[in-house]
Amino acid sequence: MHNAKCTCWNCPAINLAGKVDFRACGQAGAQFDKKADDSQETHIMAECKRRPDLGLFDPMSITFEECPEWQKTPYGYLLKNMRVMILGVDGYLGWTLALWLGRLGCQVSGVDNYNRRNWVKERGAHTVIPISRMSERLHAAKEVLGVNINFREIDIYEERDKLKEFIDEIKPEAIVHYGECPSAPFSMIDVEHAIDVQRNNVLGTLGLLFTMRDIVPESSLLKLGTMGEYGTPLTGRPLFEGMFPADAVLHWDNREWSLGGELTPRDPVSFYHVSKVQDTFNCYEASKYWWLRSYDIMQGVIFGVHTEEVSADPRLRTRLDIDEWFGTIINRFVAQAVLDIPLTLYGAGQQIRGFIALRDAMECMTRLLASPPEPGQYAVVNQISGVKSLRQLAYIVAKVGRKHFNLPVQIQRIENPRVEADIHPFEALYEKLPKQYGFEPKVDIEEEVRRMFELLMKPEIRARIEEKKHVIIPKTWWSGVKREAQRIELINLEKEIKEDEERAKIFMGKK
Ligand SMILES: NC(=O)c1ccc[n+]([C@@H]2O[C@H](COP(=O)([O-])OP(=O)(O)OC[C@H]3O[C@@H](n4cnc5c(N)ncnc54)[C@H](O)[C@@H]3O)[C@@H](O)[C@H]2O)c1
């Protein structure tokens, strides 16, 4: 178990006592020797909110494997009935995680204000997999899975007092923050949308950080960022996990400095991505100032429709969008193939990105919940399970569609409405989840794509895709122009994708 040797120092159920110098910690979890000074005055002590009978004790003295409050699960020791609050619980990932954690025995609470449903409606689109109203979702979760979700309709940004009240009532031991607008093109529609996205995301998160400081400073925050925060450096510099490794060095003017532990540069590629970068700095600072514990999760593009829980009943399904604003690429490709629209590669189609399947992302989140950061620790993980060029992905979707469903799938290049490099080197680091948290991807991409075809080919779902055919080809240009991107050519990829395998690298550490 990856977290067996973690101690109460990591546990959200403790209160720190003794002479705690809040300025001493900051990012310096490793440097700050919790046991160095034996004098009573400076020694940090803890008391357990779940086991007050223990009195004051040394927080390093009890491990998760020794503590009866931490119980074995397939994803590590997990705090018994852990109170987890999911912000954005009505969304693609939030709903899926709520059911998943509920099944694992967590006490799940959730917050949403249906922004996503409204944004999609405003664009004239819809989720092609129909989703139930929240009241019906909650009822079905209880009836089918025996999972109780304590839901509150709250706008995280506009209704800070209500959120504060709810957090005070629940006292969550972890907060998963999915509650932001997740779309780059949506943020590029016009000034109103850019402002809305930044205000919603940045100020919502900033307010949350203050609330955590005041009410649950010991709770861990799992905040969703995106791999898109890093951009795609044309030098080929690896995309480290948030910070430079200890042996990174800056050479300049015949002098050199260590870069170890500094935040790596961010190069966002839309106003949405800028909001995520601003969140990064806000979470980093809050951890430093107030000893908050946070994971900033640089998540790759998610694909897929399946976990055991969401597939258990049609009322439990999570959303799936295929429009130009909210559809993610593999999900969009499958929908295009179902309608016989040639799969749309933007520009050269050689952009490389990190990906992860819905089910694998749920497992990563659970493993992180099971290993809360230390007080004051701001930690970054790259949450991906592979990297591929967009044309490699189109090729996979075409292959599965042709082989298993007899569809005549074609692939096209269209004008690229975005401002981005469409041919670039790419080396993403992906070491922490497998090495520190014991995660191994379980989902085979072709298998998940096959499962998506199966669902999206159902007549009633196919009809829903057909109904929204007009929102598939992009019309939102980063330049502000509003016109449909035009086809450049139909292409045959078989010969071309070999070279992408050379360029798309993932660094999983030395064996
Ligand atoms: N889906 C992906 O491929 C992907 C990739 C990288 C990062 N992410 C990030 O993961 C998170 C979840 O993504 P998702 O795909 O589930 O998005 P989603 O839009 O389906 O879920 C977000 C949820 O948050 C809610 N929300 C937004 N603003 C809110 C507010 N002010 N108050 C209350 N609720 C609010 C929305 O209504 C929605 O239900 C986002 O932060 C996104 O940026 C997603």
Side-chain angles (χ1 to χ4, degrees), residues 115-126 319 326:
N115 258 348
R116 171 65 180 260
R117 294 188 192 227
N118 294 330
W119 290 325
V120 168
K121 199 162 159 194
E122 174 218 297
R123 299 323 294 161
H126 64 200
R319 60 180 311 124
F326 291 99

Side-chain angles (χ1 to χ4, degrees), residues 88 91-93 112-113 115-116 154-156 179 200 272 276 302:
Y92 179 40
L93 305 180
D112 211 296
N113 69 340
N115 258 348
R116 171 65 180 260
I154 297 174
D155 184 320
I156 298 163
N200 186 67
Y272 153 71
K276 292 290 191 182
I302 306 271

Side-chain angles (χ1 to χ4, degrees), residues 366-506:
T366 313
R367 287 179 176 277
L368 295 173
L369 278 169
S371 283
E374 295 181 10
Q377 188 185 5
Y378 166 85
V380 184
V381 296
N382 289 350
Q383 186 170 288
I384 56 175
S385 60
V387 294
K388 295 225 176 308
S389 74
L390 305 193
R391 59 185 190 175
Q392 283 176 303
L393 295 174
Y395 182 69
I396 291 171
V397 172
K399 197 169 82 179
V400 175
R402 286 175 197 151
K403 186 166 145 197
H404 297 285
F405 300 90
N406 216 11
L407 292 166
V409 189
Q410 291 186 293
I411 299 170
Q412 61 179 328
R413 291 201 305 117
I414 64 173
E415 295 171 296
N416 190 350
R418 302 180 174 214
V419 175
E420 64 182 3
D422 54 12
I423 304 180
H424 57 85
F426 192 84
E427 178 171 349
L429 261 83
Y430 159 63
E431 286 195 286
K432 290 190 188 167
L433 276 162
K435 288 191 166 178
Q436 290 179 26
Y437 305 102
F439 168 68
E440 279 175 35
K442 309 281 184 311
V443 180
D444 173 69
I445 186 165
E446 291 194 18
E447 177 52 26
E448 184 62 20
V449 166
R450 198 189 55 73
R451 221 195 295 252
M452 291 172 74
F453 268 112
E454 248 168 35
L455 190 59
L456 270 53
M457 299 264 297
K458 289 190 172 179
E460 66 281 14
I461 307 251
R462 194 185 182 289
R464 285 179 69 86
I465 305 175
E466 181 77 45
E467 201 188 322
K468 297 298 172 186
K469 203 172 176 174
H470 58 284
V471 290
I472 290 181
I473 304 295
K475 296 174 212 67
T476 305
W477 291 68
W478 267 221
S479 63
V481 166
K482 299 275 176 251
R483 69 168 174 82
E484 199 160 277
Q486 298 298 302
R487 176 180 297 171
I488 301 170
E489 58 177 355
L490 283 173
I491 52 175
N492 177 353
L493 279 182
E494 252 123 302
K495 293 186 214 93
E496 298 172 21
I497 56 169
K498 275 268 166 273
E499 64 195 59
D500 292 5
E501 283 165 22
E502 299 290 303
R503 281 187 309 125
K505 292 197 198 110
I506 190 163

Side-chain angles (χ1 to χ4, degrees), residues 14-241:
I14 59 157
N15 277 328
L16 292 177
K19 195 175 169 200
V20 181
D21 179 358
F22 281 87
R23 293 158 308 163
C25 193
Q27 305 311 304
Q31 293 164 26
F32 180 57
D33 182 354
K34 276 84 70 176
K35 284 185 145 178
D37 191 336
D38 278 343
S39 78
Q40 273 305 99
E41 246 181 273
T42 52
H43 201 99
I44 291 184
M45 304 295 280
E47 50 193 349
C48 179
K49 284 177 260 180
R50 288 182 172 227
R51 299 171 66 197
D53 50 299
L54 291 176
L56 281 178
F57 61 96
D58 175 350
M60 309 294 278
S61 61
I62 305 174
T63 62
F64 286 2
E65 81 185 326
E66 290 162 348
C67 176
E69 293 297 315
W70 287 82
Q71 298 188 327
K72 261 190 185 168
T73 76
Y75 315 109
Y77 287 91
L78 198 60
L79 201 48
K80 197 164 58 185
N81 301 322
M82 188 175 197
R83 297 187 301 276
V84 183
M85 182 177 281
I86 301 176
L87 307 181
V89 74
D90 189 46
Y92 179 40
L93 305 180
W95 180 246
T96 314
L97 187 67
L99 300 182
W100 169 285
L101 291 178
R103 278 292 283 290
L104 272 176
C106 295
Q107 282 181 47
V108 180
S109 52
V111 165
D112 211 296
N113 69 340
Y114 309 119
N115 258 348
R116 171 65 180 260
R117 294 188 192 227
N118 294 330
W119 290 325
V120 168
K121 199 162 159 194
E122 174 218 297
R123 299 323 294 161
H126 64 200
T127 161
V128 295
I129 297 179
I131 54 170
S132 315
R133 297 157 60 99
M134 181 52 84
S135 52
E136 201 182 339
R137 284 185 139 182
L138 297 173
H139 180 74
K142 186 149 197 298
E143 184 186 293
V144 180
L145 303 173
V147 167
N148 266 313
I149 299 167
N150 185 349
F151 174 74
R152 199 71 55 89
E153 184 179 339
I154 297 174
D155 184 320
I156 298 163
Y157 160 59
E158 298 268 7
E159 297 176 303
R160 215 167 47 240
D161 286 348
K162 268 172 96 176
L163 181 64
K164 201 168 179 172
E165 236 170 69
F166 195 37
I167 289 180
D168 200 16
E169 183 183 317
I170 301 289
K171 301 269 178 5
E173 288 158 314
I175 298 182
V176 176
H177 185 13
Y178 284 135
E180 296 197 338
C181 176
S183 167
F186 188 77
S187 74
M188 300 303 292
I189 293 172
D190 55 26
V191 62
E192 299 305 335
H193 287 83
I195 288 174
D196 274 357
V197 170
Q198 293 213 351
R199 186 170 44 201
N200 186 67
N201 293 2
V202 177
L203 302 184
T205 299
L206 187 59
L208 172 69
L209 291 167
F210 273 83
T211 301
M212 287 186 70
R213 178 196 72 173
D214 295 343
I215 302 183
V216 281
E218 62 296 324
S219 171
S220 60
L221 172 65
L222 276 67
K223 160 75 182 58
L224 267 291
T226 146
M227 288 293 289
E229 289 186 37
Y230 301 129
T232 54
L234 293 177
T235 56
R237 171 176 57 70
L239 304 179
F240 297 106
E241 299 191 71

